[in-house]
């Protein structure tokens, strides 16, 4: 059963990360549009569906399967998992922030530039790299 849960954890993570990388990219293009434009309304639909149908379920499933694996394997006592857990908490915080920004876009309250969202788009990537290295290499 462990390997099935591990596979589900990886699939969930892929879904979550796909959305975490794509949503800020949508924000880049959305921020360049005037509020209330027809294209902006299309972006609102795309962003909402991505967040609700992929990003949120991906995050929840990643947490559920990941915590299950930590308990099943006993890895919750190991330093590498503590560090990974901290990075996943940070990723979850970014997820929450992206959800807040989504609400701002939905209400035509965005005040940030496309450049801001280009930089923000890199944060999940950096966190993901750290998480993967910790999970695979287990350096401590």
């Amino acid at each position: 059963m462990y390997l099935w849960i591990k596979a589900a954890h990886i699939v969930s993570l892929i879904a979550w990360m796909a959305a975490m990388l794509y949503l800020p990219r949508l924000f880049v293009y959305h921020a360049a549009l005037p509020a209330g434009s027809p294209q902006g309304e299309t972006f609102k639909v795309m962003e909402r569906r991505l967040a609700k149908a992929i990003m949120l379920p991906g995050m929840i499933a990643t947490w559920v399967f990941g915590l299950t694996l930590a308990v099943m394997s006993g890895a919750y006592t190991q330093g590498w998992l503590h560090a990974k857990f901290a990075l996943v908490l940070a990723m979850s915080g970014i997820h929450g922030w992206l959800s807040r920004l989504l609400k701002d876009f939905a209400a035509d309250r965005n005040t940030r530039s496309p450049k801001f969202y280009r930089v923000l788009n890199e944060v999940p990537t950096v966190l993901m790299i750290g998480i993967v290295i910790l999970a695979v290499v287990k350096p401590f």
Side-chain angles (χ1 to χ4, degrees):
M1 193 65 181
Y2 180 84
L3 291 178
W4 284 104
I5 295 170
K6 189 174 188 178
H9 179 63
I10 293 168
V11 169
S12 301
L13 175 65
I14 290 169
W16 185 25
M17 287 310 306
M20 291 286 288
L21 297 171
Y22 189 44
L23 187 59
R25 179 55 48 188
L26 290 175
F27 290 165
V28 168
Y29 302 122
H30 193 168
L33 298 171
S37 70
Q39 297 90 349
E41 295 304 310
T42 300
F43 275 106
K44 288 179 187 179
V45 172
M46 293 169 62
E47 293 158 357
R48 185 185 75 248
R49 288 180 179 169
L50 179 65
K52 292 194 183 292
I54 299 173
M55 195 167 81
L56 182 59
M59 180 190 71
I60 292 169
T62 298
W63 271 101
V64 168
F65 293 127
L67 290 172
T68 302
L69 290 170
V71 170
M72 287 177 77
S73 68
Y76 57 85
T77 64
Q78 299 175 14
W80 69 268
L81 188 60
H82 296 167
K84 179 185 172 196
F85 182 72
L87 294 180
V88 174
L89 278 174
M91 185 75 77
S92 298
I94 297 296
H95 176 120
W97 189 26
L98 290 174
S99 297
R100 177 68 189 129
L101 294 170
L102 176 70
K103 290 178 184 177
D104 288 343
F105 273 107
D108 291 325
R109 289 190 310 253
N110 175 55
T111 58
R112 295 179 171 88
S113 70
K115 184 177 181 179
F116 170 84
Y117 294 109
R118 279 190 190 90
V119 173
L120 178 59
N121 197 186
E122 303 308 319
V123 175
T125 303
V126 171
L127 290 171
M128 179 186 62
I129 290 167
I131 290 165
V132 169
I133 289 170
L134 287 166
V136 173
V137 178
K138 298 177 175 90
F140 46 89

